[in-house]
């Protein structure tokens, strides 16, 4: 068993929430820079808080001599207790504010809202009728920006980078798709209808076409999934999307049409590192529950 230094009672009493939150956020986000963004502090402030915490515990919590952040043995041990202390703080705040309305700000892409949101809200509402959920539908990159700014509490998003800091929930198969009337002409550039530039699916699709040297033409763009469905529904363009979310009357295209395979999409949950109402933990658990059930039924 790892022993954490030899802190005295005064040091333990001085473990305020700012120090604990900085440590947990650094561990969860994978670095001081990411933690600073999430907590809206400078990197030097986060570094100072970690150093202060280590000094009060009389032990090293984080190794700073490697490219990738790594917790020491003491750091791994203390992380468990730091989470418990912050959770206890959230529960205490919630207990004192039972009569006050609680709002959970949740963001997710619009196409996922149509599929999973009804079941998620129904289950959460039955367990926590006193918590009001405000829904924000945007593209994943925009939602993550709002989370970092403190405008959202929890976000379901498509993973853009392996080290994004989110909790992976499910993996979706991404395919080339078009209305069943669409016919691909091998002698002409592929007519595409896609989301704007910040869309991960768009970047991956264009990169895949570039890899095989296939010409393409961007005919239409839409930030709205509903708008994109209308465009593709005309039978004149090709797009990309999750296989199990395809509208009726659409077809999957691929190797038979000379199209390259597309990487799958990992859906992950991101949450604000700020202390939150205990019900928010249940909301995160329900997201995983609802998505995993849908994955098994697909």
């Amino acid at each position: 068993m790892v022993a954490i230094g030899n802190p005295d009672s005064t040091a333990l009493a001085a473990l305020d929430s700012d120090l604990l939150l900085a440590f947990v956020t650094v561990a969860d986000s994978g670095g001081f820079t990411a933690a600073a963004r999430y907590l809206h502090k400078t990197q030097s402030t986060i570094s100072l808080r970690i150093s202060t915490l280590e000094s009060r515990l009389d032990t090293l919590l984080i190794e700073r001599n490697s490219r990738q952040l790594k917790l020491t043995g003491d750091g791994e041990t203390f992380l468990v207790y730091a989470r418990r202390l912050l959770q206890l703080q959230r529960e205490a705040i919630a207990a004192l504010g039972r009569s006050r309305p609680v709002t959970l700000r949740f963001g997710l892409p619009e196409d996922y809202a149509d599929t999973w949101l009804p079941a998620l809200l129904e289950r959460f509402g039955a367990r926590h009728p006193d918590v009001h959920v405000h829904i924000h539908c945007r593209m994943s990159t925009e939602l993550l920006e709002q989370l970092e700014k403190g405008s959202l509490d929890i976000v379901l998003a498509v993973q853009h980078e392996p080290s994004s800091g989110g909790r992976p929930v499910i993996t979706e198969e991404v395919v080339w798709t078009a209305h069943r009337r669409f016919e691909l002409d091998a002698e002409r550039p592929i007519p595409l209808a896609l989301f704007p530039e910040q869309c991960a699916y768009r970047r991956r699709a264009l990169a895949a076409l570039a890899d095989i040297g296939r010409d393409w033409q961007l005919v239409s763009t839409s930030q709205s999934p509903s708008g994109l469905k209308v465009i593709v529904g005309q039978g004149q363009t090709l797009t990309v999307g999750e296989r199990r979310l395809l509208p009726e009357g659409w077809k999957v295209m691929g190797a038979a049409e000379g199209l390259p395979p597309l990487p799958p999409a990992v859906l992950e949950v991101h949450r604000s590192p700020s202390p939150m109402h205990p019900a928010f933990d249940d909301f995160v658990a329900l997201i995983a529950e609802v998505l995993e059930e849908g994955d098994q039924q697909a």
Side-chain angles (χ1 to χ4, degrees):
M1 178 178 292
V2 180
I4 300 180
N6 186 28
D8 57 26
S9 59
T10 302
L12 290 174
L15 298 182
D16 60 72
S17 59
D18 286 342
L19 303 183
L20 296 173
L21 185 58
F23 174 60
V24 171
T25 307
V26 168
D28 288 347
S29 64
F32 289 84
T33 302
R37 288 200 308 269
Y38 276 117
L39 296 178
H40 310 291
K41 304 294 182 182
T42 64
Q43 186 172 339
S44 59
T45 297
I46 299 300
S47 180
L48 177 60
R49 289 181 179 179
I50 298 300
S51 296
T52 301
L53 181 61
E54 290 176 326
S55 176
R56 294 182 182 179
L57 291 172
D58 190 26
T59 191
L60 187 67
L61 300 174
I62 299 174
E63 293 183 3
R64 295 170 171 77
N65 57 354
S66 59
R67 289 185 178 181
Q68 186 174 5
L69 180 142
K70 182 179 179 181
L71 298 183
T72 63
D74 282 358
E76 293 284 359
T77 299
F78 186 69
L79 181 61
V80 176
Y81 293 96
R83 292 191 196 280
R84 290 183 186 176
L85 290 169
L86 289 173
Q87 178 63 24
L88 185 61
Q89 180 193 55
R90 291 195 291 267
E91 292 176 1
I93 293 173
L96 293 175
R98 285 180 189 146
S99 60
R100 301 174 188 171
V102 177
T103 300
L104 188 162
R105 301 166 301 173
F106 176 49
L108 77 167
E110 184 179 330
D111 42 356
Y112 298 132
D114 293 339
T115 307
W116 294 303
L117 193 55
L120 175 61
L121 294 181
E122 181 180 357
R123 296 185 193 183
F124 184 73
R127 298 184 189 183
H128 304 281
D130 57 328
V131 178
H132 305 292
V133 182
H134 287 190
I135 305 300
H136 302 255
C137 291
R138 296 286 188 277
M139 297 186 66
S140 293
T141 51
E142 295 177 280
L143 293 172
L144 293 175
E145 288 174 0
Q146 290 185 32
L147 182 73
E148 288 191 6
K149 293 177 180 178
S151 301
L152 294 175
D153 301 306
I154 299 172
V155 164
L156 175 67
V158 175
Q159 183 188 79
H160 283 62
E161 301 293 339
S163 58
S164 62
R167 171 191 170 188
V169 183
I170 62 170
T171 299
E172 289 285 297
E173 181 183 4
V174 179
V175 297
W176 298 99
T177 181
H179 192 274
R180 60 191 175 195
R181 296 194 306 270
F182 176 79
E183 294 295 334
L184 184 61
D185 187 342
E187 302 301 321
R188 302 182 62 183
I190 299 174
L192 296 174
L194 300 170
F195 287 116
E197 292 181 1
Q198 61 266 41
C199 174
Y201 292 0
R202 167 174 167 155
R203 294 201 302 269
R204 294 167 187 172
L206 298 184
L209 292 176
D211 286 343
I212 65 171
R214 187 70 163 86
D215 291 334
W216 53 271
Q217 179 183 7
L218 186 61
V219 176
S220 298
T221 61
S222 174
Q223 181 152 338
S224 165
S226 298
L228 198 63
K229 289 176 183 177
V230 172
I231 294 168
V232 177
Q234 303 305 305
Q236 303 297 316
T237 53
L238 181 73
T239 190
V240 294
E242 303 88 342
R243 176 185 284 271
R244 67 165 159 167
L245 298 183
L246 299 185
E248 185 177 353
W250 287 28
K251 62 182 178 181
V252 173
M253 304 177 69
E257 292 80 17
L259 296 171
L262 296 170
V266 177
L267 296 187
E268 54 187 14
V269 175
H270 298 254
R271 58 185 299 171
S272 169
S274 301
M276 297 188 293
H277 192 281
F280 290 21
D281 295 328
D282 196 25
F283 191 83
V284 171
L286 283 173
I287 292 174
E289 179 181 301
V290 170
L291 266 63
E292 287 169 0
E293 286 179 3
D295 195 33
Q296 293 170 2
Q297 295 171 2

